[in-house]
Amino acid sequence: MSTSQAQAEWGERLALSRCYWASGRGRALITAQAACLGPVLEARRDRHGLELSMGASLLAHLSAAGPTHAVQWAPALAEAKSEATLVCPPRALALPDECLDLTLLHHFLEHCPDAHQALAEAARVTRDSGLMVICGFQPLGLAALAYRLGKKRRHYPGNGRWYTPGRLRDWLAFVDFEIEGVDYCGFGPGRGGVCHERRETLGRRHNVPLGTSYMIRARRRRRQAPVQRLRFGLQPPAAAGPLGITRGQTAPGQRSLRARRPGEVRAADAGAKTPSQHEEHKR
């Protein structure tokens, strides 16, 4: 596939997704996600971040809590909305290794044709002390019945691949990341697309896995140094000579060939004559 064809397909995906995020349900969901992500990013104000999203920017709703230096991703220059935009294929991000403190994938893997490579690139540019956040639609939630089984499955977001947090856990383990926590949000908008505050508060308090979307917080695995345990014995090891075991020495734990038990006589020594018996034989 050429670069122009890939950019055209990305443009179609973004156009369909923007219609959803501009609707009442989309605005209510992104408001709930911003309230869930805000407390997590309070300590990452003066840091660098990258957001890969599908038509809606979650960091734009977190101007007070998000990172100061935030970069948006776009498949082409025509889709860039600001100067701080990274234009490149998602499977090959034009960034050095471990340069970001925050990497946000906002409903990006569900409509990315190279989801595995995009996740691997996001892990590559995240620092060891950084944080990776993945937002996705919950395939086991109540909203999945309408978007996956009804007529809406042909439209965004039902036309994408919805992954469970358990499956993404295996993907993250492959890139040496582990899930720190999973938060669920979007427990049904009210009338006119306004988020139902009471329902949202109860769902987030008990973290019920029935919300419209989930938010995964993942960090790089800590590599522990190998630990060698010391074994203490009752008998200290015998010190060997400078030249090793000589002819007159024996190895530790091995009995000498010349040592005999009391009363032990070899068969060859039984017929040997003593010096006094030899003198009497000459006489």
Side-chain angles (χ1 to χ4, degrees), residues 123-276:
R124 180 184 63 84
V125 299
T126 306
R127 294 178 179 175
D128 293 342
S129 59
L131 178 67
M132 181 189 299
V133 179
I134 303 175
C135 295
F137 290 100
Q138 168 66 314
L140 304 179
L142 298 178
L145 299 177
Y147 288 106
R148 303 294 292 175
L149 301 178
K151 296 180 180 180
K152 296 182 179 180
R153 67 179 183 273
R154 300 179 181 179
H155 307 282
Y156 184 91
N159 57 353
R161 296 182 179 181
W162 293 16
Y163 303 105
T164 61
R167 187 172 183 181
L168 292 180
R169 185 186 301 272
D170 299 336
W171 291 15
L172 289 170
F174 184 77
V175 294
D176 204 16
F177 269 70
E178 60 183 358
I179 295 180
E180 186 181 45
V182 181
D183 300 324
Y184 299 92
C185 58
F187 294 92
R191 296 180 180 179
V194 180
C195 184
H196 199 285
E197 296 182 1
R198 184 177 180 182
R199 190 183 306 172
E200 191 72 22
T201 302
L202 291 176
R204 289 180 54 190
R205 179 182 301 174
H206 301 284
N207 203 20
V208 182
L210 297 177
T212 304
S213 68
Y214 56 83
M215 185 185 70
I216 296 178
R217 292 174 281 110
R219 296 181 184 272
R220 193 179 301 275
R221 289 182 178 180
R222 297 181 179 179
R223 301 175 182 177
Q224 299 180 357
V227 178
Q228 184 178 3
R229 297 182 179 180
L230 298 178
R231 296 182 180 180
F232 298 94
L234 297 178
Q235 296 180 357
L243 299 179
I245 300 175
T246 59
R247 189 173 184 181
Q249 297 178 351
T250 56
Q254 182 180 1
R255 191 181 60 182
S256 176
L257 297 177
R258 297 183 180 181
R260 302 177 184 176
R261 297 179 181 178
E264 181 180 359
V265 180
R266 293 189 302 177
D269 296 342
K273 297 181 180 180
T274 60
S276 59

